[in-house]
Amino acid sequence: ALDSVCDASLVSNHVAHKASVAQGKGFLAAAAITYPEYGLKKIKAQIVGNEKFIGHLPAVVGLVCSALGVELRDSKRLFLFMSLRGIVSAAVRLGICGPLEAQHVQARVSAEVMEELVDGE
């Protein structure tokens, strides 16, 4: 369901759609190699040819975390951390802030975001 929601929300932005799917498939490939004992290679083989599963990053992160036995709260925290890290990293690359300031921003915002979005349920 999450994969379909991501697909529908990115239908008008071809670049973002392609990036989300590429990141999702890359994350799954890396996880399958890193954690072979959790059967992720088998999961990957089952979904690669499945037309219903597109492979957007948020859905794949959830799938991998579930297979690894990561609790839902921690899975949410991981995805939010990854998203925030991407935004902060882009700010550094664009010269908006330096790497030390970016780390400070991530630490400060991360605590607020995690408390509000993950822990505040």
Side-chain angles (χ1 to χ4, degrees), residues 79-120:
F79 186 76
L80 288 171
F81 176 85
M82 290 169 48
S83 299
L84 181 58
R85 182 191 65 203
I87 294 167
V88 170
S89 178
V92 172
R93 287 192 309 273
L94 291 169
I96 295 170
C97 64
L100 294 178
E101 183 182 358
Q103 287 180 343
H104 174 72
V105 167
Q106 178 152 5
R108 183 176 44 82
V109 173
S110 180
E112 295 170 13
V113 168
M114 297 303 173
E115 183 179 328
E116 185 68 29
L117 296 178
V118 176
D119 300 333

Side-chain angles (χ1 to χ4, degrees), residues 32-111:
I33 291 169
T34 305
Y35 303 106
E37 66 273 17
Y38 288 93
L40 290 169
K41 285 184 181 181
K42 183 178 179 181
I43 293 171
K44 180 184 172 197
Q46 290 174 340
I47 64 174
V48 165
N50 186 340
E51 294 177 10
K52 293 181 181 180
F53 190 81
I54 298 135
H56 288 282
L57 181 61
V60 172
V61 169
L63 175 75
V64 169
C65 285
S66 177
L68 295 177
V70 177
E71 293 184 21
L72 179 59
R73 177 182 174 274
D74 293 332
S75 298
K76 290 178 184 181
R77 291 177 68 91
L78 169 66
F79 186 76
L80 288 171
F81 176 85
M82 290 169 48
S83 299
L84 181 58
R85 182 191 65 203
I87 294 167
V88 170
S89 178
V92 172
R93 287 192 309 273
L94 291 169
I96 295 170
C97 64
L100 294 178
E101 183 182 358
Q103 287 180 343
H104 174 72
V105 167
Q106 178 152 5
R108 183 176 44 82
V109 173
S110 180

